[in-house]
Amino acid sequence: MKVLVPLKRVIDYNVVVQIDSSQKNVVTDHVKMSINPFDEIALEEAVRLHESGVIDEVVVVSVGSELSQEQLRQGLAMGAHRAILISCDDAVANDPLSVAKILSTLVTRDDYDFVLMGKQAIDNDCNQTGQMLAGLLKWPQATFASKISFSTDEISVSREVDGGLDNISCQLPAVVTVDLRLNDPRYISLPNIMMAKSKPLQVESLDDLKLNLTPCLKRISLEFPQPRTSGEIFTDFDLFVKKLDEEEVWR
Amino acid sequence: MALKILLVITHNGQSIDDQVHNAVTACLQLDVNYHAMVLGHDCQSVIDEARKMKGLQKLFFLEHVSLEFGLAEPSAESISQFISDYDYILFPSNTTSKNILPRLAALQNISPITDVCEIVDKDDRIFKRPIYAGNIIETVQSEQDINILSIRSASFTKTPISSEANVDIEHISPDLSSIQSKHLGCEITKLDRPDLVGAKVVVSGGRGLGSVESFQLIYDFADCLDAAVGASRAAVDAGFVSNDYQVGQTGKIIAPDVYYAIGISGAIQHMAGMKDSRIIIAINKDADAPIFKSCDYGLVADLFDVVPKLVKHLKK
């Protein structure tokens, strides 16, 4: 069985994101970039499934600029067998429907059995691409997975939903998007980083996939939200409790 | 020109999801009335409730046994047969809609706008939505004739339902024969405590708790308030609690009425997950902790001293 794991290059979650002077983009120069944390969890799961013999080959793909090769190399160091970069501009890379179309084309062309991906990217927070991909492929989908188990051509997934867990099972091929609880991704060791340099990384263009994509949403501007203002700070416990009693915040 | 609007009502089989009432407000910002749709099986109480929604002109009830659990495949397929009649299709933003909406959009070749926090211009189709976990607000314009939106409940007030039913129901049995996806089992496991997402009160603990054992203070305090329990990433990384408790950019993003941050310094990644709470209350012994810059009420004190006293006070 062959699994495809999409990895998005995003600003690291620890970075305080800034808006550039055009008011249309965030600042990415000299900013730490990482694999989208949810994608990293998906990849960890895929690598574990390979280690336990369920999956034969783990392929990572990134849709975006040439810079995404950095994240693909990290993915290879984590244990993916080979990598594909679909080179395109940022507008396409940040449009979930375009990315879903690219992935759908790739899945059909290269005949994957399974797509395992993050439930959302922490930059645009869309939470769309996996579901769209499943729709385009007419595959079953299992979103927000916190537990995945395999039996013969069927998977059972515990999904993190509002109010608890939703347990479903579906036939393969399928798209599974993963949530935070699924696993803790491994640290990458130096020997694995060295080894990753010799693993295959193939670059393709949208022309190679015979795709012509124009996003239908245009970004007009970016702004910071209104900051919260500081309220009343107490050092005396009794005054603090008196205030909360008066304001009835316990209710 | 009047807009044609369809609201998809999410529910748990018994009652309408709370966020739907916020989405109704968004519908009424778009126009004076709208159509709505319930997908399900044998859910009369949901229909009875939905009929009372303010501004509702027509209610479709799509009934099919495979729609009982809100699965994405049959739901998206069912709704897609109605899309072309409308200018706007709205969903409340919750895990049910997040599962269904993008699939529906892809089937219709539409780019949806999810988690809308402001409708800027309904005719020019300009919307605001949070990105980077709410640290930045993006303004987007759609060039599409049909738009699919999900409505972020923290950004819209709730429109209360009226006392009597205003509309009749059109009962439809969708054709789901083309669905190849097969689901074999489905059950909701309820958690013991109030769910973090959707809880009215949340008590979160941070690194300041110091140990798994001390985190019991947070549970005790939460029990007094019938609150959900959360944690900062620092507390999760330190192993005090499992990561399903994590509030923050990579964890859960919540907006309760009251949020208690206890022993939490207020790192940006944590603030991103809770800064839309109506009231934020912080307890930390470090007077310089960033959390005090964005809380409504703060107490500079040792949590091990004051949290037990708070529990005692609340039990009175």
Side-chain angles (χ1 to χ4, degrees):
Chain A
M1 190 155 61
K2 190 161 80 165
V3 64
L4 184 68
V5 182
L7 304 180
K8 188 174 187 185
R9 174 184 168 89
V10 297
I11 295 177
D12 188 84
Y13 73 89
N14 276 315
V15 172
V16 178
V17 180
Q18 297 299 332
I19 298 171
D20 76 5
S21 56
S22 74
Q23 305 287 304
K24 276 196 165 189
N25 297 300
V26 296
V27 176
T28 53
D29 289 348
H30 310 293
V31 166
K32 187 184 178 201
M33 304 298 283
S34 298
I35 297 175
N36 174 41
F38 292 106
D39 298 345
E40 198 179 9
I41 292 167
L43 177 56
E44 174 65 33
E45 194 70 11
V47 171
R48 288 184 193 185
L49 287 168
H50 168 69
E51 287 164 350
S52 63
V54 177
I55 280 173
D56 304 309
E57 189 183 26
V58 179
V59 181
V60 285
V61 58
S62 196
V63 175
S65 76
E66 294 283 335
L67 295 168
S68 301
Q69 291 198 24
E70 182 190 347
Q71 280 63 44
L72 288 171
R73 287 288 169 206
Q74 284 172 25
L76 292 170
M78 275 182 71
H81 298 93
R82 59 188 175 89
I84 304 168
L85 172 66
I86 308 295
S87 165
C88 64
D89 63 46
D90 285 348
V92 169
N94 283 314
D95 179 47
L97 187 56
S98 299
V99 174
K101 286 174 181 173
I102 291 167
L103 296 176
S104 158
T105 306
L106 203 61
V107 165
T108 309
R109 188 193 71 181
D110 297 345
D111 208 14
Y112 289 91
D113 306 290
F114 186 33
V115 179
L116 200 52
M117 59 199 287
K119 70 165 182 175
Q120 73 188 71
I122 61 162
D123 49 7
N124 288 342
D125 288 334
C126 282
N127 196 330
Q128 297 172 6
T129 309
Q131 297 89 312
M132 288 177 157
L133 174 61
L136 293 174
L137 292 167
K138 305 260 186 239
W139 283 8
Q141 68 184 54
T143 49
F144 327 141
S146 63
K147 195 174 167 220
I148 303 173
S149 45
F150 274 79
S151 58
T152 326
D153 76 345
E154 186 187 302
I155 47 171
S156 300
V157 176
S158 290
R159 305 176 53 238
E160 295 227 12
V161 296
D162 299 339
L165 291 172
D166 178 26
N167 298 315
I168 65 169
S169 53
C170 58
Q171 305 281 330
L172 289 172
V175 176
V176 175
T177 77
V178 311
D179 215 322
L180 204 64
R181 284 167 74 180
L182 184 63
N183 60 48
D184 291 314
R186 66 194 63 194
Y187 289 100
I188 303 171
S189 67
L190 190 60
N192 283 336
I193 293 172
M194 301 311 289
M195 209 153 64
K197 289 182 179 169
S198 59
K199 288 184 180 177
L201 191 162
Q202 175 190 349
V203 181
E204 297 190 56
S205 69
L206 294 183
D207 287 343
D208 295 333
L209 296 174
K210 299 185 181 63
L211 284 172
N212 183 13
L213 300 167
T214 314
C216 291
L217 300 180
K218 293 265 179 292
R219 176 181 286 175
I220 297 177
S221 63
L222 297 180
E223 65 193 294
F224 289 111
Q226 291 291 329
R228 283 187 86 102
T229 47
S230 177
E232 290 177 70
I233 310 298
F234 298 83
T235 48
D236 184 278
F237 178 79
D238 294 329
L239 288 176
F240 171 74
V241 168
K242 186 161 171 266
K243 180 72 184 177
L244 295 195
D245 281 342
E246 281 167 11
E247 299 290 327
E248 299 192 330
V249 292
W250 310 119
R251 304 287 155 254
Chain B
M1 200 183 68
L3 291 168
K4 283 181 283 184
I5 302 154
L6 177 68
L7 171 66
V8 179
I9 297 173
T10 60
H11 61 91
N12 63 4
Q14 307 294 322
S15 57
I16 289 177
D17 289 336
D18 207 32
Q19 307 90 351
V20 173
H21 304 297
N22 308 81
V24 166
T25 304
C27 287
L28 294 173
Q29 283 182 16
L30 290 169
D31 212 331
V32 292
N33 52 46
Y34 57 92
H35 295 175
M37 177 181 282
V38 170
L39 297 93
H41 179 68
D42 194 14
C43 52
Q44 191 56 40
S45 54
V46 174
I47 301 298
D48 292 341
E49 197 181 350
R51 287 177 68 191
K52 295 178 187 168
M53 294 191 320
K54 212 168 143 189
L56 181 63
Q57 201 176 31
K58 188 175 187 181
L59 180 64
F60 297 102
F61 178 30
L62 274 63
E63 188 166 29
H64 196 286
V65 68
S66 64
L67 294 171
E68 186 174 359
F69 298 106
L71 293 173
E73 295 84 345
S75 300
E77 184 67 33
S78 304
I79 304 167
S80 77
Q81 296 164 18
F82 288 80
I83 292 278
S84 59
D85 296 337
Y86 293 95
D87 300 301
Y88 280 106
I89 294 91
L90 270 68
F91 287 75
S93 184
N94 55 33
T95 49
T96 306
S97 70
K98 281 174 180 166
N99 193 30
I100 298 168
L101 180 154
R103 187 176 181 108
L104 165 71
L107 294 177
Q108 296 293 317
N109 197 27
I110 292 171
S111 279
I113 302 125
T114 45
D115 269 324
V116 169
C117 62
E118 187 183 332
I119 299 165
V120 179
D121 191 320
K122 62 183 183 182
D123 300 310
D124 287 339
R125 307 165 190 129
I126 300 173
F127 310 95
K128 288 188 182 184
R129 62 182 301 273
I131 60 173
Y132 289 94
N135 287 314
I136 292 178
I137 306 296
E138 177 187 33
T139 303
V140 289
Q141 182 165 27
S142 165
E143 296 171 346
Q144 306 164 116
D145 293 329
I146 301 171
N147 285 284
I148 303 178
L149 316 181
S150 72
I151 301 299
R152 188 170 182 271
S153 50
S155 308
F156 291 82
T157 56
K158 291 186 199 303
T159 298
I161 56 171
S162 7
S163 52
E164 54 195 273
N166 302 311
V167 289
D168 290 324
I169 306 157
E170 189 168 328
H171 197 232
I172 294 165
S173 302
D175 174 17
L176 295 172
S177 54
S178 67
I179 296 287
Q180 290 175 2
S181 308
K182 195 175 155 204
H183 279 82
L184 306 160
C186 206
E187 55 171 290
I188 287 272
T189 316
K190 275 283 173 193
L191 302 172
D192 301 341
R193 293 180 170 278
D195 185 42
L196 195 47
V197 179
K200 290 196 163 39
V201 183
V202 174
V203 178
S204 281
R207 202 202 307 265
L209 269 301
S211 70
V212 180
E213 294 72 32
S214 305
F215 211 86
Q216 186 59 40
L217 276 176
I218 299 295
Y219 296 119
D220 294 346
F221 186 37
D223 286 343
C224 296
L225 296 162
D226 194 24
V229 170
S232 68
R233 186 173 170 121
V236 171
D237 286 348
F240 303 164
V241 286
S242 67
N243 61 4
D244 45 322
Y245 288 89
Q246 188 181 320
V247 173
Q249 183 171 20
T250 51
K252 300 224 163 55
I253 295 174
I254 56 172
D257 282 346
V258 188
Y259 186 85
Y260 294 86
I262 297 175
I264 290 176
S265 64
I268 182 112
Q269 118 89 20
H270 184 74
M271 298 306 291
M274 45 62 95
K275 67 185 174 51
D276 288 323
S277 307
R278 194 170 63 85
I279 299 172
I280 296 173
I281 299 170
I283 298 174
N284 202 304
K285 65 180 173 190
D286 176 9
D288 296 325
I291 189 96
F292 287 126
K293 290 200 177 65
S294 35
C295 69
D296 298 278
Y297 305 103
L299 176 61
V300 182
D302 184 350
L303 71 92
F304 294 105
D305 177 32
V306 296
V307 173
K309 288 205 300 203
L310 278 173
V311 170
K312 213 170 177 185
H313 177 76
L314 287 171
K315 280 186 174 162
K316 255 193 290 187

